[in-house]
Amino acid sequence: MQAIEPGAELRVALAGQPNTGKSTLFNRLTGLNQHVGNWPGKTVEKKEGSFSVNGFRGQVIDLPGTYSLTANSLEEKIARDFLINQGADVVVVVVDASQLERSLYMAVEVLLLPVKVVVALNMVDVAEKMGLSLDSKALAASLRVPVVPMAAAKGRGMEELLETLIRVSAQAGPVQERGARLEQAFEEMVGSVREIIHGAVPRPYTESWMALKLVEQDGEAAEIMKARLDDQSWRALQDLLAGRQDALAAGSAARFEWIKEALSSAAQEKERQTGVFTRWGFDRAATHPLWGKLIAGAVLILSVLATYIACLPPMTLGLGLLIMPNILRNALSGELPGWLLAMVCDGILTGLGVATCVAAFIAGVFLVLGFLEDIGYLARLSFVFDRFMRRLGLHGKSFIPLTMGFVCNIMAVTGTRVIDGWRQRLITLLLAPLVPCKGLLVVISFVSVVFFGPDAALVLAALAVVMAGQLLLTSFLLRRGLVKGEDCGLVMELPPYHKPNFRTIWSYAVSRVRAFLRHGYWIIVIAAFFTWVGVYYPDGQIETSYLARFGRAVEPFGRLMGMDWRLLMTFLVAFSSKEATLGAMAVIYGAGNTSRTAIEGLYMDQGLMMNIQTQLGAFLTTAGISQASALAFLFAIFFSLPCLGTLAAIHAETGSYKWTLGALAYYLFTSVFMGAAAYQAGLLIFR
Amino acid sequence: MEVGSSMRLDELQPGGRALISEVRGKPLFISRVCALGFTPGTEVLMVRNHRRGPLIAYLRDTLVALGRPEAAGVRLLARQQRPVAEERG
């Protein structure tokens, strides 16, 4: 590693456990000079940013927040590979001074690697309030790396951190090995392993690290060495390591011993605190089986309200885009060719409007969610709903993404990133299309009221019951056999509550919206455009359009569900986006004086919706749709054709066509099956 | 219960303290709970444990929530102490 010259770019990696204020520090360092993407080939978020100070320019890479650096989870492997391959000049390990013993665990993991380390001792203000006095110099001396006390949320310690970074990066020469303290725990074992693998360890791994990881039964380390060692040495190694399944836990215990030793001289409690029960106050209620759920319910209701308020400003932009076509049409009709005006108004602007409204909603949701996470409450939500989610074969962490599904399934699918363990995450995101989004709920409640009047409540209840059944069945199928792999269940830190840091919350929401603008947004726009093409061409009449022709062609299948080509077309439009469904019905059934092919944006236009309420209802009831057909339509659309955006999100998160097309095929099948079953049932009920 | 015999974390009553003897499960599980501090020899305090549903344990300055099946993978030395007054509730 070479020293850094002024003017050169310093590469800094941020490592640390979740809830240590790592994101806050990252935001302090980089301001809004951030870029959010994915780690190459992985669906784990990669945040990068830049800073410049005293002629030094720096690049900061925010590693995934992890509790350790084993090869057992994707996030940990990413962080570990990045550090081992020396992607950074200096590694900053962020630790929480108020939970020092545990958060130093990650620091110890990083110290075992041959990298330059600076420990950012964050939240010293919180620790002081708790009566903890920390001697950062003593800690630095016993860990043998610089320790910078700071309070990133208040900007305290930032300058010292930057100075230390520059100083440490300028140190020449190789990094000392620091693992000796740990090797003692396994006595001569590490030494014996080192003898076997001597000379065979590929760069950039070090012999001592590899030996330690082999002793600790690390699967990846074993794989690397199996490829490098001859048969005899490999067998000798296996004999040596056999029967040490306890080594992983023993290694962890040794790391904590090391930490205790380092802390014995550095940390003092000024006055004896009574431990956990000083923090327990609100949590006593918030984690209570009954009160906790009531609090959670209240929080969720307030969150929905807050979301609507927060998304208002950007929402006006989307609504503006949706009103534009009316203005344009008045101003430009006659001056532009009809098809061009229709394309701009109905094909492009409305799609942009709808997508912008969804983006606004996502901004609102993530502002609120970011707030709940930043103050520390979010983990409690997962805790209280764990028992409920277990009934679905999931655990508490799936609660939040699936709940977001009520707003938008695309969000639910991307929201599964909060779940650790690939298996659990995959099951949750494949279940997401079963949650009815708000676009779908509007359609369902409208159609059921039009056709079933006061009995609509019964229909909705039937839908809810069948949905519960389908959730259970689908989750069962996924768990039994379809989805392989490991997860560690619910093992979750309940972080201490903190005052909200609005910078962190803001940048979290901004990064989520940016991620949506990169993909989901354009999929909605493109789907809207092609839907318009389908209903406009070849001659501008929806009744004779390509989509209508397609609808007529598959009408024989539709008969199974008692659906004629018009209902089938509505069904197809719902596939492009649920929000467009009502608009499509309005156009297809010729309600009101709506533009013949402007189907996408209608649901956002409140005046028009009122119009549809009165007129579409009348049209639909006189359109010759039987109640059985209407019931079939409701069931078919509810169970649970995913929209294109959701499918695209599933593909983005799984990186697999197998799962994406599998989900499509499965849900298409259940849609048609449920529709047909509902039709037959309807024929019996509504004779 | 005999001293030294094995007991599961989910059997520890609220307010009870015990030493962890062993962690059982798949590597991902073991590495996660160990990194959160559940290493053999550590004293753990049970904070919330109802008959059903997840539980909350306290150790190394940290509140950790564990699902009931997960908690069964953490084994204790059965040396449960009598709950003291401050820890009730």
Side-chain angles (χ1 to χ4, degrees):
Chain A
M1 255 176 278
Q2 69 275 35
I4 297 296
E5 305 289 330
E9 185 152 285
L10 189 65
R11 281 170 63 82
V12 180
L14 278 187
Q17 295 188 338
N19 310 311
T20 50
K22 192 162 72 73
S23 310
T24 307
L25 179 56
F26 178 75
N27 291 328
R28 275 277 172 194
L29 269 174
T30 61
L32 280 175
N33 297 319
Q34 303 183 359
H35 171 77
V36 183
N38 277 350
W39 290 89
K42 310 276 165 52
T43 52
V44 174
E45 194 167 278
K46 181 182 189 183
K47 283 201 289 182
E48 284 175 278
S50 56
F51 68 90
S52 105
V53 58
N54 303 338
F56 284 92
R57 283 180 301 118
Q59 197 195 358
V60 191
I61 300 102
D62 193 19
L63 299 176
T66 59
Y67 289 101
S68 58
L69 289 178
T70 63
N72 293 319
S73 85
L74 192 59
E75 286 81 3
E76 294 187 31
K77 246 185 72 61
I78 287 170
R80 161 167 141 170
D81 287 345
F82 184 85
L83 293 172
I84 288 173
N85 294 316
Q86 301 180 343
D89 301 307
V90 198
V91 183
V92 176
V93 187
V94 188
V95 301
D96 174 359
S98 71
Q99 306 192 73
L100 199 48
E101 185 178 329
R102 204 211 61 237
S103 65
L104 271 174
Y105 191 86
M106 184 62 181
V108 165
E109 287 278 86
V110 178
L111 285 174
L112 291 172
L113 298 168
V115 289
K116 294 175 178 173
V117 177
V118 173
V119 172
L121 184 60
N122 197 18
M123 304 199 205
V124 281
D125 50 337
V126 181
E128 276 159 18
K129 263 190 210 145
M130 288 168 56
L132 271 168
S133 138
L134 295 165
D135 182 348
S136 59
K137 296 217 168 57
L139 187 60
S142 55
L143 292 177
R144 293 193 291 164
V145 289
V147 175
V148 182
M150 50 194 317
K154 295 176 180 163
R156 255 172 72 191
M158 293 303 294
E159 274 178 32
E160 199 192 333
L161 178 70
L162 285 167
E163 279 164 22
T164 314
L165 282 179
I166 292 165
R167 181 166 52 80
V168 169
S169 67
Q171 288 165 358
V175 178
Q176 279 182 306
E177 281 193 3
R178 314 175 184 104
R181 173 69 189 72
L182 265 191
E183 290 175 17
Q184 293 161 16
F186 295 105
E187 290 167 353
E188 72 280 6
M189 191 134 172
V190 177
S192 316
V193 171
R194 276 183 89 145
E195 270 171 38
I196 298 177
I197 62 173
H198 181 68
V201 178
R203 283 174 59 81
Y205 298 95
T206 63
E207 234 165 58
S208 62
W209 183 84
M210 188 62 87
L212 185 68
K213 286 289 164 180
L214 284 169
V215 170
E216 291 177 351
Q217 312 276 327
D218 186 282
E220 195 189 47
E223 239 168 68
I224 293 169
M225 291 321 296
K226 191 181 179 183
R228 293 274 170 161
L229 291 171
D230 55 66
D231 281 354
Q232 196 190 348
S233 314
W234 173 243
R235 239 173 288 133
L237 184 64
Q238 279 189 310
D239 289 345
L240 194 62
L241 297 176
R244 286 304 305 264
Q245 273 73 29
D246 62 327
L248 185 53
S252 290
R255 284 168 177 78
F256 277 114
E257 283 303 310
W258 182 1
I259 292 168
K260 272 227 157 105
E261 239 174 65
L263 284 180
S264 63
S265 57
Q268 267 163 12
E269 290 183 39
K270 274 183 200 149
E271 53 214 67
R272 180 79 198 121
Q273 299 271 337
T274 39
V276 58
F277 294 98
T278 54
R279 300 187 187 171
W280 185 229
F282 177 64
D283 264 341
R284 189 183 302 226
T287 61
H288 188 274
L290 175 64
W291 300 117
K293 283 194 190 74
L294 292 178
I295 291 173
V299 167
L300 286 173
I301 290 168
L302 285 176
S303 301
V304 171
L305 292 177
T307 302
Y308 271 98
I309 294 167
C311 75
L312 265 182
M315 190 71 94
T316 51
L317 187 69
L319 293 175
L321 283 168
L322 290 174
I323 296 166
M324 281 275 281
N326 294 337
I327 301 166
L328 281 181
R329 211 171 262 121
N330 289 337
L332 295 175
S333 64
E335 299 193 22
L336 286 178
W339 66 269
L340 186 60
L341 193 60
M343 179 194 285
V344 172
C345 291
D346 305 334
I348 297 171
L349 279 175
T350 45
L352 283 173
V354 170
T356 306
C357 286
V358 175
F361 229 91
I362 287 180
V365 167
F366 281 104
L367 276 174
V368 173
L369 207 66
F371 175 83
L372 291 178
E373 175 159 40
D374 198 59
I375 61 171
Y377 179 72
L378 211 56
R380 276 75 180 176
L381 264 184
S382 302
F383 177 81
V384 233
F385 289 109
D386 182 66
R387 217 185 125 197
F388 175 70
M389 299 308 285
R390 297 255 173 195
R391 295 192 185 143
L392 299 175
L394 303 168
H395 60 67
K397 283 200 171 171
S398 301
F399 178 77
I400 290 152
L402 286 183
T403 307
M404 293 200 295
F406 284 106
V407 177
C408 172
N409 284 186
I410 303 176
M411 270 168 61
V413 172
T414 39
T416 57
R417 289 188 180 200
V418 301
I419 302 168
D420 41 9
W422 174 243
R423 180 170 181 270
Q424 187 75 16
R425 190 173 149 196
L426 185 57
I427 292 175
T428 308
L429 74 84
L430 290 173
L431 286 174
L434 278 170
V435 179
C437 69
K438 69 177 183 16
L440 178 58
L441 286 171
V442 169
V443 184
I444 294 293
S445 48
F446 177 74
V447 174
S448 51
V449 168
V450 165
F451 282 95
F452 301 102
D455 291 339
L458 278 178
V459 174
L460 295 181
L463 285 171
V465 169
V466 180
M467 180 179 105
Q470 202 196 0
L471 256 176
L472 284 172
L473 176 71
T474 310
S475 151
F476 180 81
L477 291 175
L478 288 172
R479 278 176 294 131
R480 293 296 154 88
L482 282 178
V483 179
K484 306 262 183 327
E486 238 182 76
D487 72 80
C488 63
L490 184 78
V491 180
M492 177 179 65
E493 178 196 356
L494 296 178
Y497 293 107
H498 286 296
K499 282 189 202 129
N501 184 290
F502 290 101
R503 266 171 194 253
T504 309
I505 298 167
W506 177 252
S507 93
Y508 172 69
V510 166
S511 77
R512 295 320 318 165
V513 172
R514 278 188 185 161
F516 174 72
L517 291 180
R518 271 203 309 276
H519 298 294
Y521 186 88
W522 297 107
I523 286 159
I524 293 178
V525 172
I526 291 165
F529 181 77
F530 280 105
T531 311
W532 173 78
V533 169
V535 296
Y536 186 81
Y537 286 99
D539 52 11
Q541 295 294 316
I542 198 163
E543 293 83 357
T544 51
S545 65
Y546 289 127
L547 206 61
R549 289 182 199 177
F550 182 74
R552 289 201 177 90
V554 294
E555 209 175 41
F557 292 101
R559 293 253 163 72
L560 280 175
M561 304 184 276
M563 282 155 69
D564 65 359
W565 66 272
R566 287 179 294 187
L567 273 182
L568 275 178
M569 265 188 76
T570 317
F571 186 69
L572 288 173
V573 171
F575 175 60
S576 126
S577 117
K578 300 281 162 63
E579 276 84 357
T581 317
L582 269 194
M585 287 188 111
V587 173
I588 293 168
Y589 288 96
N593 48 2
T594 53
S595 158
R596 305 293 290 153
T597 53
I599 57 173
E600 281 286 339
L602 294 183
Y603 87 107
M604 278 297 177
D605 189 331
Q606 292 302 322
L608 203 58
M609 285 302 290
M610 291 297 290
N611 197 21
I612 292 176
Q613 293 274 355
T614 50
Q615 299 198 34
L616 180 57
F619 269 98
L620 286 180
T621 38
T622 55
I625 301 172
S626 70
Q627 284 189 311
S629 294
L631 193 69
F633 174 75
L634 285 174
F635 271 76
I637 193 175
F638 201 77
F639 297 107
S640 333
L641 192 66
C643 68
L644 268 176
T646 305
L647 283 173
I650 291 178
H651 181 253
E653 293 303 313
T654 59
S656 142
Y657 283 105
K658 189 186 94 182
W659 287 119
T660 313
L661 296 177
L664 174 61
Y666 175 77
Y667 286 121
L668 192 59
F669 168 77
T670 55
S671 266
V672 174
F673 178 82
M674 291 289 186
Y679 182 60
Q680 297 304 326
L683 286 180
L684 291 176
I685 301 168
F686 306 113
R687 265 193 291 207
Chain B
M1 212 179 280
E2 244 176 84
V3 175
S5 74
S6 178
M7 171 179 163
R8 301 191 316 252
L9 180 62
D10 59 310
E11 294 168 331
L12 187 61
Q13 294 305 305
R17 293 171 197 269
L19 293 179
I20 293 167
S21 62
E22 180 190 8
V23 185
R24 293 184 192 173
K26 297 197 173 135
L28 174 61
F29 174 74
I30 295 179
S31 71
R32 177 59 44 84
V33 290
C34 282
L36 279 167
F38 289 85
T39 53
T42 312
E43 189 184 67
V44 55
L45 164 64
M46 184 58 67
V47 177
R48 190 177 278 296
N49 184 2
H50 293 268
R51 273 158 302 151
R52 280 168 293 198
L55 47 84
I56 301 177
Y58 180 76
L59 77 174
R60 303 192 198 273
D61 306 330
T62 309
L63 284 170
V64 182
L66 287 167
R68 196 149 276 277
E70 288 76 39
V74 179
R75 299 305 171 101
L76 308 170
L77 292 174
R79 194 184 56 91
Q80 185 170 348
Q81 288 180 354
R82 189 168 47 85
V84 285
E86 61 154 351
E87 289 154 358
R88 282 198 189 281

